[in-house]
Amino acid sequence: MYRYNVQLKDYNSFRTEAVAKIFCEPDNIEDLRQCIADHPDLPKLVLGKGRNLFFTKDFDGLVIKPKTYGIREVPDDSDDSEHVFIEAKAAEDWDDFVRFCVDRGYSGLENLSYIPGTVGAAPIQNIGAYGSEVKDSIYEVVALDMDTLEVVSFSNEECAFGYRDSIFKRKRKYIIISVVFLLKRSYHYVPRYADLMRELENVENPSLQEVRDAVIRIRQRKLPDENTLPNCGSFFKNPYIETDKAEQIKAVYPDLPVYPVEGGLIKTSAAFLIDKAGFKGKQRGQIGTYPKQALIVVNYGSTDGNEIVSFMHEIQAAVNEKFGIQLEPEVRIL
Ligand code: EPU
């Protein structure tokens, strides 16, 4: 069941090198429990597809990559004919799952098409795109508590979702086993996000499939393919700032994107700030920002995660100096 001294380069989409002391790929809950019980004192890392993390050093512990697959419609004996419950196991590919839902006409996840990763990873950082977040479609998350080895189920509320945040990110002691989604059996397009509205401006009353296709087209155009240019998508979170600060910046840059969020704060665009700090398309050694999207850090061939971290610090310092805003990484650095 175990492999030793495993190279992790192929398990993180920045493709940095690091060696895991022990590596296992359990395909059922009993084996998953066993892996943890066998190594009570080792640090543990749960891996999905590694699309949102990279390594700066070897991992002196146990890497667990769950291999549980399956998608099923959950029987529902209520008389709700508008909704459907779909359960997907953690290792399912996220976009295959979205396609499964869209093919059947089930709506809720279409704006999240073409996001790399697994179903199990989706709730951890509450993936979001084009005005949707996965939390809006999650009914329940089932996870194994690594401390007690009990299977625990979290209602949507108990997941404590926030912007790129959840209880699973704050307490790294749960291994997600499956996610139950609550989707709609019908679809009605609501224009919400500028990029998507532009892509669909000539389509009258777009269907679910047309929206999925539009999202895929935008992502393919704007975002680098991790297979040819290693990256982890957005490198930083979009920052929340005070209204005063937003007004101050807007006085100089009237086109600063601003979205009011909870707590009287303003969410603004990290890409915009990085861009205006002169870092769009900038390169240091083999690391750079993507010339078409300043928020994406790309790796032109380094195997050392520390080079990515140095570049991250450089961007943070430049943005902080120019705008007085501290950008936080969205990507997990190990
Ligand atoms: N912009 C610039 N310069 C750039 C790129 C963008 O100034 O180089 C400005 C533009 O004004 C643009 C705005 O930034 O309107 C927003 O850009 P975009 O629509 O590309 O979205 P984003 O805020 O940069 C977020 C998510 C993405 C998600 C897109 C689309 C975060 C951290 N990122 O990016 O998620 O796909 O919206 O909805 O919230 C990811 O998390 O890995 C990811 C790719």
Side-chain angles (χ1 to χ4, degrees), residues 197-239:
M197 284 159 67
R198 222 171 293 127
E199 189 70 22
L200 288 166
E201 68 193 351
N202 297 320
V203 187
E204 207 180 313
N205 204 5
S207 68
L208 196 52
Q209 186 64 52
E210 282 168 329
V211 171
R212 171 170 163 80
D213 292 345
V215 168
I216 294 175
R217 280 198 305 274
I218 302 172
R219 293 190 79 96
Q220 283 178 333
R221 227 173 22 233
K222 270 199 155 180
L223 308 177
D225 176 358
E226 72 200 28
N227 296 309
T228 47
L229 187 51
N231 73 86
C232 274
S234 299
F235 194 93
F236 297 99
K237 290 198 270 191
N238 282 326

Side-chain angles (χ1 to χ4, degrees), residues 2 22 24 32-47 55 59-65 144-147 149 172-175 332 334:
Y2 300 114
I22 311 179
C24 63
L32 189 55
R33 274 207 182 93
Q34 193 62 51
C35 296
I36 298 157
D38 284 349
H39 304 94
D41 300 324
L42 277 188
K44 293 169 193 72
L45 170 67
V46 185
L47 266 191
F55 298 94
F59 187 74
D60 197 18
L62 172 69
V63 172
I64 304 162
K65 186 169 161 52
L144 185 75
D145 181 328
M146 288 196 265
D147 293 342
L149 297 183
R172 294 266 181 199
K173 65 166 192 150
Y174 299 110
I175 304 184
R332 189 172 178 203
L334 287 153

Side-chain angles (χ1 to χ4, degrees), residues 23-245:
F23 190 97
C24 63
E25 295 181 285
D27 61 10
N28 60 69
I29 296 185
E30 289 66 43
D31 284 359
L32 189 55
R33 274 207 182 93
Q34 193 62 51
C35 296
I36 298 157
D38 284 349
H39 304 94
D41 300 324
L42 277 188
K44 293 169 193 72
L45 170 67
V46 185
L47 266 191
K49 293 198 171 201
R51 287 341 192 227
N52 202 49
L53 57 80
F54 66 96
F55 298 94
T56 58
K57 52 183 179 301
D58 291 345
F59 187 74
D60 197 18
L62 172 69
V63 172
I64 304 162
K65 186 169 161 52
K67 283 254 169 139
T68 45
Y69 294 95
I71 302 177
R72 68 175 186 120
E73 228 175 284
V74 183
D76 173 22
D77 52 16
S78 73
D79 47 11
D80 178 356
S81 55
E82 273 179 44
H83 295 94
V84 58
F85 292 95
I86 309 280
E87 180 200 68
K89 292 281 191 330
E92 284 291 338
D93 176 78
W94 173 257
D95 193 52
D96 286 350
F97 174 62
V98 175
R99 189 187 327 113
F100 174 99
C101 299
V102 169
D103 281 353
R104 283 158 183 76
Y106 302 155
S107 70
L109 303 174
E110 55 289 343
N111 289 14
L112 307 178
S113 289
Y114 215 61
I115 295 181
T118 59
V119 165
I124 299 178
Q125 64 148 344
N126 180 23
I127 57 171
Y130 309 103
S132 289
E133 288 186 321
V134 75
K135 75 170 171 59
D136 302 329
S137 301
I138 287 180
Y139 177 74
E140 181 183 49
V141 175
V142 178
L144 185 75
D145 181 328
M146 288 196 265
D147 293 342
T148 61
L149 297 183
E150 301 274 328
V151 173
V152 211
S153 128
F154 296 81
S155 67
N156 182 298
E157 204 179 12
E158 287 165 341
C159 295
F161 289 119
Y163 167 58
R164 295 295 192 272
D165 198 24
S166 74
I167 190 162
F168 312 108
K169 188 167 172 181
R170 272 174 256 147
K171 293 190 186 177
R172 294 266 181 199
K173 65 166 192 150
Y174 299 110
I175 304 184
I176 295 177
I177 296 167
S178 60
V179 182
V180 179
F181 297 85
L182 179 57
L183 304 177
K184 271 193 140 171
R185 289 182 186 273
S186 58
Y187 182 63
H188 173 64
Y189 170 71
V190 183
R192 269 190 301 190
Y193 199 89
D195 256 9
L196 193 53
M197 284 159 67
R198 222 171 293 127
E199 189 70 22
L200 288 166
E201 68 193 351
N202 297 320
V203 187
E204 207 180 313
N205 204 5
S207 68
L208 196 52
Q209 186 64 52
E210 282 168 329
V211 171
R212 171 170 163 80
D213 292 345
V215 168
I216 294 175
R217 280 198 305 274
I218 302 172
R219 293 190 79 96
Q220 283 178 333
R221 227 173 22 233
K222 270 199 155 180
L223 308 177
D225 176 358
E226 72 200 28
N227 296 309
T228 47
L229 187 51
N231 73 86
C232 274
S234 299
F235 194 93
F236 297 99
K237 290 198 270 191
N238 282 326
Y240 284 21
I241 58 175
E242 305 281 340
T243 320
D244 291 1
K245 167 70 81 184

